[in-house]
Amino acid sequence: MDRLYVDRIGRVCDRMKVQGIGQLMVTDYLSIYYLTGMEVHPGERFWGLLVGDDGSLRLFANRLFNIGETDISVTFFDDSDDIAGVVSAHIRKGRLGVDKTMASRFLLPIMEACRDTSFELGSDCVDDVRAIKDDEEKELMRRASRINDACMEKLAAFIHEGVTEKECAAYLDGCYAEYGCDGLSFPSIVSFGENAADPHHHPDDTVLKEGDCIVIDIGCIKDHYCSDMTRTYFWKKADPDQIKVYETVKEANERAEALVKAGIRLCDIDAAARDHISAEGYGEYFTHRLGHFIGMEDHEKGDVSSVNTKETKAGMIFSIEPGIYLPGQVGVRIEDLVIVTEEGCEILNHVSKELCILGN
């Protein structure tokens, strides 16, 4: 097995020992890919990796899966086999961790077949390792963000009189295809005018008009890793109230990013942005956490919120995305991804955050 995966599995085993888990059943296909390099999309079928705290591994794979050659022990089964019986034969007495994605249709029969085993949530053993990106992952995240930067700038240049939100989202699909992306990190958000006050607005047939704010929240997947960025523009003009909202959000974004470095509590980063927005009189209109962790999924375990007192560690990657949403009036969000370093952070997005009025 490649040294990269040996190291990752070793770090998972270290966390298993701390939690007192002798075995861990991983069924999240992305986590299995992360630990083995084997990519399988199982659909409704069982796909699992049983990890022992000694580093032993066993895959459970339907014969339909084309997993190729591997030096990992594999137990094959087919659609007519009793999955609980197949899996339980390899589960020891003691404490077994299961991950948060394991379907109850598999978990409950396995629990019934393993009465001498205690089951507990063991996702953190993998999720905490995935939260600290290695050098290869950092470079993949940089690459995905460079593509996202380019597509954001292309879309800003594409926006024109009479265009709709849906047409902008479709244009983005084509941009990402040109760069050979695997897909979208999430459905693109393009919001004009009042729609921008809905943080998760779905693009519709709304036509751009003079004075509209334009919120664009987009991301692509490239080589399994996600990008995510939000920029807010205005079409032809912005009134003083809109400009005040924009500059408040921009300052909040920059204050939070200036605080990021290893050893800072995540709740304190959230407060750096939230306190500024509150001081400017918009506190009730900042309606979500400041950020989320990201990697192979757009939203991975971990967040930048007022209740998360955990400290940052070098290698974490998360978003900084303050926003103000005034119903019926305007919405502004500015989002970057940052890599935590010992002395500060590396900001992955380079599209300007200065106030930009398009169409002039």
Side-chain angles (χ1 to χ4, degrees), residues 244-257:
K244 182 183 177 184
V245 171
Y246 186 89
E247 294 298 340
T248 299
V249 172
K250 176 174 173 286
E251 178 70 16
N253 169 275
E254 292 172 346
R255 288 188 181 205
E257 291 178 351

Side-chain angles (χ1 to χ4, degrees), residues 295-354:
M296 290 189 292
E297 297 172 281
D298 180 52
H299 284 215
E300 296 193 336
K301 179 181 177 290
D303 65 15
V304 188
S305 69
S306 60
V307 297
N308 192 343
T309 59
K310 291 184 177 180
E311 293 184 354
T312 58
K313 297 180 180 179
M316 288 180 171
I317 302 181
F318 48 75
S319 66
I320 299 291
E321 50 180 302
I324 295 174
Y325 312 95
L326 303 180
Q329 299 179 50
V330 66
V332 173
R333 183 166 63 255
I334 300 173
E335 174 188 16
D336 296 314
L337 299 183
V338 299
I339 303 177
V340 179
T341 68
E342 293 294 343
E343 301 300 327
C345 72
E346 175 186 348
I347 300 173
L348 294 183
N349 302 105
H350 303 289
V351 175
S352 176
K353 292 182 280 194
E354 295 302 314

Side-chain angles (χ1 to χ4, degrees), residues 101-111:
T101 67
M102 190 169 181
S104 59
R105 68 180 182 274
F106 299 127
L107 176 59
L108 295 177
I110 291 172
M111 291 176 69

Side-chain angles (χ1 to χ4, degrees), residues 87-103:
V87 172
S88 63
H90 298 276
I91 294 177
R92 305 191 300 261
K93 295 179 181 179
R95 298 172 64 188
L96 173 73
V98 295
D99 65 15
K100 60 185 181 289
T101 67
M102 190 169 181

Side-chain angles (χ1 to χ4, degrees), residues 152 155-156 158-160 163-165 168 189-197 207-217 230-237 242 246 329-334 356-359:
M152 179 69 79
L155 177 58
F158 166 80
I159 291 173
H160 56 274
V163 75
T164 68
E165 294 172 346
C168 289
I189 297 173
V190 181
S191 308
F192 296 161
E194 294 182 7
N195 293 340
V207 177
L208 184 65
K209 64 181 185 298
E210 184 173 310
D212 276 350
C213 58
I214 306 167
V215 172
I216 303 171
D217 187 349
T230 308
R231 291 293 184 266
T232 300
Y233 302 101
F234 295 91
W235 182 245
K236 292 195 172 180
K237 67 179 183 180
Q242 291 173 323
Y246 186 89
Q329 299 179 50
V330 66
V332 173
R333 183 166 63 255
I334 300 173
C356 181
I357 299 176
L358 302 175

Side-chain angles (χ1 to χ4, degrees), residues 19 21 24 96-100 120-127:
Q19 192 170 332
I21 296 173
L24 174 66
L96 173 73
V98 295
D99 65 15
K100 60 185 181 289
E120 59 189 86
L121 186 62
S123 292
D124 286 355
C125 295
V126 179
D127 289 343

